[in-house]
Amino acid sequence: QVQLEESGGGLVQPGGSLRLSCAASGSIFTIVAMSWYRQAPGKQRELVATITRTSSTNYADSVKGRFTISRDNAKNTVYLQMNSLKPEDTAVYYCNADIRHSILSGRNDYWGQGMQVTVSS
């Protein structure tokens, strides 16, 4: 069993910044990758950014150049630095972890509970 604890959401004005954090705990052998997703009202959940254990990254076109994903492998924690925020960034943001529990096991996905990020004047 794995738990993801998220923090850092809130209300910010357009052009402002927020930093989201997500820490994984539980039975973990290796975190293969960690990602941030978001879901706006009336829309499907979409992938925002992904980072692998070797720190290769991938971003949605809508956030590239504004958001930065990073991780601390020793703390099993992923961060999302969000700059130049726009109203269209308003959504519930979810942390996801792709985890291998042991050398004998396959991979499993785990989700955080989600955090509200609201960008509004």
Side-chain angles (χ1 to χ4, degrees):
Q1 187 80 348
V2 172
Q3 293 179 323
L4 302 181
E5 298 181 357
E6 303 173 335
S7 62
L11 175 65
V12 66
Q13 292 187 340
S17 298
L18 286 174
R19 190 190 191 209
L20 308 183
S21 299
C22 175
S25 62
S27 180
I28 299 171
F29 178 69
T30 300
I31 299 180
V32 179
M34 298 186 79
S35 302
W36 290 97
Y37 291 75
R38 68 186 182 187
Q39 187 168 19
K43 297 184 178 180
Q44 296 291 316
R45 188 175 298 185
E46 64 176 347
L47 177 64
V48 177
T50 297
I51 187 166
T52 70
R53 187 166 183 83
T54 56
S55 296
S56 64
T57 58
N58 186 48
Y59 297 91
D61 288 341
S62 59
V63 307
K64 199 167 188 177
R66 300 187 297 119
F67 291 10
T68 302
I69 189 170
S70 61
R71 68 186 296 174
D72 185 335
N73 290 339
K75 297 180 179 180
N76 291 330
T77 299
V78 64
Y79 307 93
L80 185 68
Q81 179 66 47
M82 305 187 294
N83 298 325
S84 302
L85 283 162
K86 305 174 181 179
E88 50 262 46
D89 295 317
T90 296
V92 176
Y93 283 71
Y94 297 89
C95 177
N96 174 272
D98 181 359
I99 291 174
R100 185 180 297 278
H101 296 286
S102 75
I103 192 66
L104 300 178
S105 68
R107 291 151 62 174
N108 290 286
D109 283 306
Y110 297 89
W111 292 91
Q113 292 298 308
M115 298 181 296
Q116 180 67 48
V117 172
T118 301
V119 184
S120 176
S121 59

